[in-house]
Amino acid sequence: METMQHTVTKSTTHRGETIREAIKASGVAIGVVADKLGISRKTLYNKFKESSIPFSFILRLGEVIHHDFSQEFPHLSKNVKKEPAMPQMPASTNLFLPFDGEPAGTPKPNNMKECEAELVALQRKYIALLEKFNELLLKTSAN
């Protein structure tokens, strides 16, 4: 009895399944991948169902998850034009909230000892805030 061998060619490769497996193997969370691609998680999950995803999208995905898709798609080369990334909000380097402000005369630590002292002071403030928060929780849960 003759057995048939199944060969996968580039025309029969389901691109959505291929990218899903690559993302899974990369260990990068779906949400992170979607964010870096500038799309929603739902859109990414929908891509998994598509059998003919543009190679430009696959190249961008490969950059995000650090995967070379030329193994799965040998004809895929760096010559394929990438889709432009979706516009994203510029990352703010300022970690202050709008109502936070640094007093004008606050000195910056100059050495390790000053940094450690500032860290201890911040830790004490943090613990004090946690204690106040716990007190408020107890008061509100008692009512």
Side-chain angles (χ1 to χ4, degrees):
M1 190 170 178
E2 187 179 323
T3 59
M4 297 178 94
Q5 290 184 338
H6 179 69
T7 59
V8 178
T9 64
K10 63 184 173 187
S11 62
T12 61
T13 301
H14 191 286
R15 296 178 192 169
E17 291 174 4
T18 303
I19 68 168
R20 184 188 66 221
E21 291 302 316
I23 293 170
K24 185 177 175 183
S26 76
V28 180
I30 293 288
V32 172
V33 173
D35 284 345
K36 288 190 177 188
L37 289 172
I39 60 176
S40 69
R41 288 174 49 147
K42 174 112 175 102
T43 301
L44 186 54
Y45 280 114
N46 287 337
K47 290 276 189 195
F48 296 160
K49 299 173 189 171
E50 296 178 26
S51 60
S52 59
I53 298 169
F55 287 119
S56 56
F57 178 84
I58 293 172
L59 279 175
R60 273 193 24 235
L61 173 64
E63 289 176 353
V64 168
I65 63 171
H66 306 290
H67 181 80
D68 181 11
F69 280 103
S70 65
Q71 299 296 318
E72 293 87 351
F73 307 104
H75 60 289
L76 189 62
S77 70
K78 297 290 182 185
N79 297 332
V80 176
K81 218 176 187 183
K82 297 177 196 155
E83 289 180 353
M86 299 297 285
Q88 294 182 350
M89 296 293 290
S92 174
T93 56
N94 183 359
L95 298 179
F96 289 114
L97 296 174
F99 53 86
D100 287 338
E102 190 171 346
T106 306
K108 301 283 184 197
N110 294 321
N111 57 40
M112 186 62 84
K113 191 171 184 174
E114 288 179 10
C115 287
E116 288 173 353
E118 185 176 340
L119 183 61
V120 169
L122 289 172
Q123 184 180 23
R124 287 184 182 140
K125 286 181 183 179
Y126 177 71
I127 291 170
L129 284 172
L130 280 178
E131 289 172 352
K132 287 180 182 178
F133 179 72
N134 284 334
E135 288 174 19
L136 285 172
L137 280 179
L138 290 172
K139 286 180 185 176
T140 57
S141 64
N143 294 335

